[in-house]
Amino acid sequence: MTDAAPPDPYRRDAPAAALRAPEGTDPNTPWIWLILLVPIVQTLPIFFLDWSAFVEATLMDPTALSTTALFASPAYLTLLALGWIGTGAMIGFAYLDWRELQRRGVPQPFHWAYIFLTLAVSSAVYTIGRSVVVKRRTGRGLAPMWISIATIVAGFVLGIVFAIVLTQVFVNSLDLVSFGP
């Protein structure tokens, strides 16, 4: 009598049972939560920019946008730096998350390289894809997906509110500027 070889979870026709993580596997790594936190931290400096000075300077001289105080302000430079640093950190966190899921016995976790779509689309591609795959492998782990979706919705709402407030600042600034005869 010969012993049957264990199923190879990396075969395309592998049975679903071979793609299950060990019972009780915790899919919540610290890295997925850091990936969700980075976009929030990246946008905080927006609230510290002097938008009224930017609007007034633009109305006074529309050709001088590149020399206005906004683009030289510490908040703007911080926003720019956080964008690049945060994206690099999310790439690193995705790799660490993927490696940790493998270490915990999750077969074929969502590949970390999908985080590079952050550069073109959104970090939600990784968090949603990862959550769906982890749910299939462990039976739980959708919280990062829902938080990612909630963050996107909140971003849209805040973007609309921000546009309304900036428009109001622009309209109020029109009263302060004399365009001449």
Side-chain angles (χ1 to χ4, degrees):
M1 178 166 179
T2 62
D3 291 323
D8 180 5
Y10 295 99
R11 282 187 30 210
R12 286 201 176 271
D13 60 343
L19 293 175
R20 295 288 294 172
E23 190 65 36
T25 300
D26 183 11
N28 295 311
T29 70
W31 310 113
I32 190 63
W33 301 113
L34 288 171
I35 290 170
L36 291 169
L37 183 64
V38 167
I40 295 167
V41 171
Q42 284 177 316
T43 57
L44 288 178
I46 288 174
F47 299 104
F48 299 104
L49 292 172
D50 185 4
W51 291 103
S52 59
F54 171 72
V55 169
E56 288 175 23
T58 303
L59 289 172
M60 296 302 277
D61 185 7
T63 62
L65 277 177
S66 61
T67 59
T68 61
L70 174 71
F71 294 109
S73 72
Y76 177 76
L77 297 175
T78 302
L79 184 66
L80 208 60
L82 281 176
W84 287 105
I85 293 167
T87 300
M90 284 194 302
I91 291 168
F93 295 154
Y95 172 76
L96 294 171
D97 178 60
W98 176 76
R99 191 176 71 181
E100 179 62 21
L101 288 172
Q102 285 184 322
R103 189 189 70 70
R104 293 181 184 188
V106 175
Q108 294 182 356
F110 195 68
H111 201 278
W112 68 273
Y114 280 101
I115 197 71
F116 282 103
L117 289 174
T118 297
L119 301 171
V121 183
S122 167
S123 62
V125 171
Y126 178 77
T127 56
I128 292 171
R130 177 224 189 254
S131 296
V132 169
V133 170
V134 163
K135 170 77 167 133
R136 289 180 182 163
R137 307 287 192 261
T138 66
R140 58 191 188 138
L142 290 179
M145 177 183 77
W146 292 116
I147 291 171
S148 185
I149 291 169
T151 303
I152 290 169
V153 170
F156 278 125
V157 170
L158 283 174
I160 291 168
V161 169
F162 180 74
I164 291 168
V165 168
L166 194 57
T167 301
Q168 185 64 40
V169 168
F170 178 77
V171 169
N172 289 344
S173 295
L174 285 175
D175 295 336
L176 303 174
V177 177
S178 171
F179 292 103

